[in-house]
Structures are given as C-alpha cells and as structure tokens.
Amino acid sequence: MTRSAGTTRRRAALYGGAASLLILGYLYLVFFSSFDLPRPGIEDERDRSQLLEEINTAIANGVAFLESQQSPDGAWRSQTYGFMKDGITLTPHVLSATVALPESMTSESTARGVDYLLAIDPDTAVLLQPVYTAAETSWVLRLAGHEQAADPWLDLIEAHQLTEQLGWPRSDPRYGGWSYATTPPVYHPDAVDPTRPDANLSATVFAVGALKLAGRLSDEQAAAARDFAFIVQALKLGGFWFSPTDPARNKAGRTKAILVDPTEHPATQPLLKMTPRPLPTQAARPPRGWHLPKYNPYGSATADGVRVLLACGVDQEIESLATARAWLVKYFDPSTVPGDFTPDREPLRHGYYHYYAWSVSHALRRLGVTHAGADRSTPWAEKLAAALIATQDADGAWRNASTDGKEDDPLVATPFALSALAVCRNALMEMPSE
C-alpha cells in the first residue's frame, strides 16, 4: 500500500526522533513516577503474569475504543457534552494517555491526533480550560518529538500563574496557584466574587507538571506553587483540599474556620533550612487575623498536593510532605475517593474516581510506595489495576455513573483510567520477585 506524503511526515515525526522520545519519556516518568527504590516482590509470579496480561488486554481494549471515537480530522469530540465538542478540549486529554503507551505511540491514530494539535495556534484558539489544555498539549507534543511546537503552550501556562506578574500580592491565599480562568487572571482587589479565579490544586499540578517536564519550572514559580499548596493542606492530618477560597469545589465539605498565623506555620522553618536561598514562604501566608475556612482533606486533592510538593523540590522528610505521604498511604482506597466527606457531600465522593486513580497512582509510585492501607499491607498497584479492570465496559471504555466530574463521558474517564493502568503495570514490572 502506498502511503501519502502526510502519512510519511507523520511517521517521521513519531519515529525519527527516537532518542529525544526516550529522553522525554524518562523525564515524564521522573515527574509522574519513581523507580529508584527497592520494592518487595509479589509472592506468586504466576499471579503477577496473569495480572499483567489482564492489564495489557484492558489497555489494548481502551486504546481501541478511543481510536474508534476519533474524528476524521484527527480530533476527539464529546458525544455527551456540547461544550467539549470543539476538538481542542478533549484531543490532548486523549493523547496524553495514548502517546506514552508502546501500544499506540506510533499508531496512525496517534499521528493524526498530533497533527491536529500541531495545527492549533494557542494565541488565537478559544480555550475553555486553558491550563489543562496547554499542559496536556505541551507534554503530548514534547513526547511526540515536537519540542519547539510545545513552547507557546508553555508560555501560556506561565502567563496564568497568580503571582506579581498579574498583580497578585503574596498576602492573597490564591497567590502562586493556577486557576480555571479563561484569560490570565489579573488581580482585582475589589472583585465582587473573591472565589474567582478559583486557584486550585488540580490546575496547579497540571501546570507544574508541564513546566517540570519541559525543564522550565523556575525556582520562583516552584516556590510560589509550593506556598499555594501549603495553604490548602491540613498539616496535622496531612491531607489536602482543592481550593482555599471556593467552598463549592472542596468536595468533602467544610469543617470549621481556623486562624492562620504566617509566622508560626510548622512547615515554614524546615523549608527555610532546606535551601540556602530565601523563600517567600512567610510572605505568602495570609496576614495575621485572616480567617480561612478549613475543609476535609480527600484523596484526589491529596494526591495532587503530593505531586505539586515533589515537583517543587520538597524533600520527603519535610513535615508537610511526610504527613501528606502518610495520609495518602493510610487512606488509600482502590475503588473510590477516600476522605471524610460530610453527609451532604457524600454523593460527590465517587464523581472524580478515575481522576483520583490517575493522580494517586502517579503519587504513590513517585513516592516509592509499594503497599498502602491503614496497616500498609495492600499492594496498591495490584488492587487499583484489578478495580479498574473490573469496571471497564464491554466496549473498552470507562464511564462514571456520577456526572459531577463529567466522567460519565467516556472520553474523559477512559484516558485517566488508561494512564492509571499504565502506571500500575510499570510498578508491577519493576517489582522484583522473591
């Protein structure tokens, strides 16, 4: 069969930069995972082989489903939600799962999807979720060997951080984070709604991850993002919630108001001792007397918080990360989002399950954790993989019964599930046998 010139170029783009692809794949694993710590083995090698075979089958079926949903122009468009029919919203999300998979990184479907992204100009495109779209597009393009094409998307991410560049004072609890704002959110002290823009851990972990992968996360950006993460952490418990100012999106619900003293935060002094350069940690705290609501920590936000701290250079021995690690391990649940949800918020618990599976798998692997649960006896990679495989639909997709996180759309849930399964597979393959 004769290939077209376009097909040849696409193949060359994906095959030609093999060395660059391997290097970028390594960087991807450095940010999202860890493979430098010894791990206890699985007792029955046959059980592991069988599970790996089931994971491979589930991934292959998931990829086949996604490829069947691709539009002729290379994009993916929602059949569930009208606002995600634009192509640019879901295409990088799907490709962020498939481009790093050996099963599909050189497929014609992936090549057409990458071509679609290469034709998008971030300066003129209408982006409903700029930070998410830019982050996923940037790492897809870089992993596909198009480093220069990723740069404008990284510029967009940098332009959205809530720092002095947009007039944000360090005294504002949203300082240092990223938000859902559709344009760079300039600070307005007299804004009617103080919850907007809703700086949050999810947008922040995407932004920090993209900049880290590209080697563009500066010390200043990292310090600001780190300080933002501290604002939404229950230090004594260790867990994180989503946003410092938006109660509606803190899924587990509110507990009680606390008074934050920026000079006495337990995380401040260890961080200042950790590095020879001065950090704006104290200045980034709300001033004395600023009442911040306290929310129940929960699994997806805590996994994101851990990943932000790791990417920003926080050592695992520092109290903030040590307590977060302990929370994530203790409350790990392979089948739903853990946390102490208030009764009125309990229906929201499962709404972001596939997102949680994606983020917690990356966080635990990056931390070097092999067993989780209250007694640390649960091999998390096995249990999470088994839970995901058990909930895969016959057509190869994953769907959530809840609409809260839009995971009822299989083009939202399936990429998260595939990425989580890939992390589980890698963790299992790295685990030595006894």
Side-chain angles (χ1 to χ4, degrees):
M1 180 178 67
T2 303
R3 298 188 183 276
S4 67
T7 299
T8 302
R9 286 193 297 270
R10 288 193 294 268
R11 292 293 187 189
L14 289 173
Y15 282 106
S20 297
L21 183 60
L22 289 173
I23 292 172
L24 285 167
Y26 169 77
L27 291 173
Y28 183 84
L29 291 173
V30 166
F31 175 69
F32 287 116
S33 58
S34 177
F35 46 82
D36 57 350
L37 298 177
R39 293 168 169 78
I42 296 177
E43 293 183 0
D44 191 335
E45 183 67 20
R46 289 178 301 173
D47 290 345
R48 175 163 61 175
S49 297
Q50 180 179 351
L51 179 57
L52 287 172
E53 183 177 343
E54 292 174 359
I55 291 173
N56 290 337
T57 299
I59 289 176
N61 291 339
V63 169
F65 169 79
L66 291 176
E67 291 183 348
S68 74
Q69 301 299 302
Q70 190 174 23
S71 300
D73 65 352
W76 278 268
R77 295 178 170 84
S78 175
Q79 302 301 311
T80 307
Y81 293 101
F83 72 93
M84 290 193 290
K85 291 181 181 291
D86 57 357
I88 186 56
T89 297
L90 286 177
T91 301
H93 180 57
V94 170
L95 288 173
S96 68
T98 63
V99 74
L101 291 171
E103 294 92 335
S104 61
M105 67 164 54
T106 56
S107 72
E108 179 65 20
S109 173
T110 298
R112 287 192 292 119
V114 170
D115 280 353
Y116 176 85
L117 292 183
L118 287 171
I120 302 294
D121 182 353
D123 294 328
T124 59
V126 177
L127 305 176
L128 300 179
Q129 299 176 321
V131 174
Y132 286 145
T133 297
E136 291 184 316
T137 300
S138 70
W139 66 55
V140 165
L141 293 178
R142 290 184 64 83
L143 288 170
H146 300 283
E147 292 89 347
Q148 290 186 340
D151 287 341
W153 296 99
L154 295 164
D155 294 340
L156 186 154
I157 293 170
E158 291 182 332
H160 274 252
Q161 190 177 22
L162 278 62
T163 59
E164 291 87 352
Q165 66 174 339
L166 298 173
W168 288 86
R170 296 179 186 273
S171 59
D172 193 289
R174 293 165 289 184
Y175 177 90
W178 276 264
S179 75
Y180 290 154
T182 56
T183 58
V186 177
Y187 179 70
H188 295 294
D190 300 323
V192 175
D193 186 354
T195 70
R196 299 292 185 270
D198 53 344
N200 62 79
L201 275 178
S202 181
T204 300
V205 78
F206 272 76
V208 167
L211 294 173
K212 181 79 170 181
L213 174 63
R216 283 181 52 166
L217 184 65
S218 70
D219 289 344
E220 292 74 17
Q221 290 166 338
R226 178 172 53 212
D227 286 336
F228 171 74
F230 287 144
I231 290 292
V232 289
Q233 183 184 22
L235 186 65
K236 291 183 179 180
L237 297 176
F240 289 79
W241 54 88
F242 183 79
S243 166
T245 56
D246 189 350
R249 288 195 169 100
N250 286 314
K251 303 302 180 184
R254 181 171 174 173
T255 54
K256 60 182 180 180
I258 58 172
L259 191 63
V260 176
D261 183 345
T263 65
E264 297 177 0
H265 193 286
T268 299
Q269 295 307 316
L271 278 172
L272 291 175
K273 294 176 182 177
M274 182 181 72
T275 175
R277 68 181 182 84
L279 293 176
T281 304
Q282 293 188 18
R285 302 285 171 209
R288 184 183 296 274
W290 186 310
H291 287 268
L292 284 178
K294 182 178 180 181
Y295 298 90
N296 290 323
Y298 54 102
S300 53
T302 302
D304 286 349
V306 164
R307 294 168 67 195
V308 168
L309 294 184
L310 286 170
C312 291
V314 177
D315 190 274
Q316 289 198 38
E317 300 303 316
I318 298 300
E319 184 178 8
S320 288
L321 187 49
T323 57
R325 183 184 192 275
W327 193 100
L328 205 61
V329 169
K330 179 179 180 180
Y331 295 105
F332 169 75
D333 190 327
S335 59
T336 194
V337 180
D340 185 15
F341 285 65
T342 58
D344 61 313
R345 296 300 184 96
E346 187 62 36
L348 304 179
R349 180 186 294 276
H350 202 69
Y352 291 79
Y353 168 69
H354 299 95
Y355 180 100
Y356 163 71
W358 168 76
S359 195
V360 76
S361 63
H362 285 305
L364 290 175
R365 188 163 176 244
R366 178 68 179 87
L367 288 167
V369 171
T370 59
H371 288 69
D375 58 0
R376 299 203 58 157
S377 64
T378 301
W380 69 263
E382 294 178 49
K383 298 301 184 182
L384 182 57
L388 288 168
I389 291 170
T391 56
Q392 187 176 26
D393 290 337
D395 63 356
W398 280 266
R399 297 171 177 86
N400 197 326
S402 171
T403 63
D404 188 60
K406 304 298 184 288
E407 290 186 357
D408 55 318
D409 186 334
L411 294 184
V412 174
T414 302
F416 283 137
L418 282 177
S419 294
L421 274 179
V423 175
C424 292
R425 178 174 65 181
N426 291 337
L428 291 169
M429 292 174 66
E430 296 158 7
M431 194 178 294
S433 303
E434 289 185 342

